């Protein structure tokens, strides 16, 4: 039986909720397989998130890793294409740690491309009427660190791994921040997991943006 590891994050920066963690829990509750879905809500800390991820990879040996997080200024679901070996935090993480110009992995390569079929995920989301675009930057905060750590740990292995950023869920973001209905976010994660399991080569065509 194939195994999928799906992760989200706890709230951070004083927010009451984080839609990525909530959507991961919701998908776990409705998942019917046939693959085994392992879910986890990670701490928003550089050390804690990457350490917990490493432990999950070691225990569960997943075939697919889909990590998710909140990109509060974005209006669409954004599969990430690139993770960089850089931790450069605009704000402290939930442990008060604020690295500047530090590597995620000492001695690691400058960057990794996602091994998830990001364009195929984006196309499948569009087919479901879910706003989506491929993103070329996962930032330099904990989301990027988790994506980079997942790709570093699975480099050379027959594992698909990557990251999907979500916007706010309706009614949870600050002010007029872009958002989508919560059930659409859960649907988006299910699509990302399903495509990552079932797609062959990634979709063709030009696409993506830096935001």
């Amino acid at each position: 039986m194939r195994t999928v590891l799906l992760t989200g994050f706890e709230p951070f920066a004083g927010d009451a909720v984080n839609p990525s963690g909530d959507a991961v829990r919701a998908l776990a509750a409705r998942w019917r397989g046939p693959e085994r879905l392992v879910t986890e809500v990670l701490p928003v800390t550089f050390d804690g998130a990457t350490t917990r991820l490493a432990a999950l990879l070691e225990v569960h040996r997943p075939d697919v890793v889909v990590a998710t997080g909140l990109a509060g200024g974005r209006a669409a679901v954004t599969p990430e294409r690139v993770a960089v070996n850089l931790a450069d935090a605009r704000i402290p993480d939930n442990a008060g740690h604020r690295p500047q110009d530090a590597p995620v992995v000492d001695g690691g390569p400058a960057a990794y491309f996602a091994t998830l079929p990001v364009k195929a995920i984006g196309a499948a989301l569009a087919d479901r009427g879910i706003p989506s675009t491929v993103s070329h930057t996962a930032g330099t905060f904990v989301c990027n660190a988790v994506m980079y750590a997942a790709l570093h740990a699975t480099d050379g292995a027959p594992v698909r791994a990557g990251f999907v950023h979500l916007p706010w869920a309706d009614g949870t973001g600050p002010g007029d921040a872009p958002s989508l209905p919560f059930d659409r976010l859960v649907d988006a994660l299910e699509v990302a997991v399903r495509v990552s399991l079932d797609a062959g080569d990634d979709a063709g065509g030009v696409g993506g943006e830096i935001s």
Side-chain angles (χ1 to χ4, degrees):
M1 179 184 294
R2 290 187 294 172
T3 297
V4 179
L5 174 62
L6 176 67
T7 70
F9 281 111
E10 67 184 1
F12 68 101
D15 295 329
V17 298
N18 187 322
S20 69
D22 293 341
V24 163
R25 293 187 187 98
L27 182 55
R30 80 184 197 191
W31 182 257
R32 296 297 180 266
E35 301 82 6
R36 183 170 69 113
L37 182 68
V38 177
T39 60
E40 184 84 1
V41 176
L42 300 173
V44 183
T45 64
F46 284 92
D47 292 340
T50 54
T51 298
R52 182 60 185 149
L53 176 70
L56 291 164
L57 294 173
E58 178 67 25
V59 170
H60 298 289
R61 302 289 181 175
D63 301 281
V64 171
V65 181
V66 181
T68 74
L70 169 65
R74 297 183 187 177
V77 176
T78 50
E80 295 293 346
R81 201 174 199 182
V82 182
V84 295
N85 194 14
L86 176 64
D88 196 45
R90 178 180 56 84
I91 60 174
D93 67 15
N94 281 359
H97 184 44
R98 190 182 177 191
Q100 301 287 302
D101 300 319
V104 176
V105 176
D106 286 333
Y112 285 107
F113 284 101
T115 49
L116 297 181
V118 293
K119 289 186 177 180
I121 291 170
L125 290 169
D127 288 345
R128 291 284 296 271
I130 300 172
S132 175
T133 185
V134 173
S135 167
H136 296 321
T137 174
T140 56
F141 197 51
V142 182
C143 290
N144 172 76
V146 164
M147 181 180 176
Y148 185 94
L151 290 165
H152 185 73
T154 59
D155 186 35
V159 177
R160 282 182 159 176
F163 198 97
V164 178
H165 264 122
L166 303 177
W168 285 107
D170 286 354
T172 63
D176 58 354
S179 64
L180 290 173
F182 179 70
D183 63 347
R184 295 273 78 190
L185 300 184
V186 182
D187 290 344
L189 294 191
E190 187 167 24
V191 168
V193 169
R194 192 76 261 154
V195 172
S196 297
L197 285 163
D198 296 345
D201 294 335
D202 200 3
V206 177
E209 63 182 37
I210 296 174
S211 60

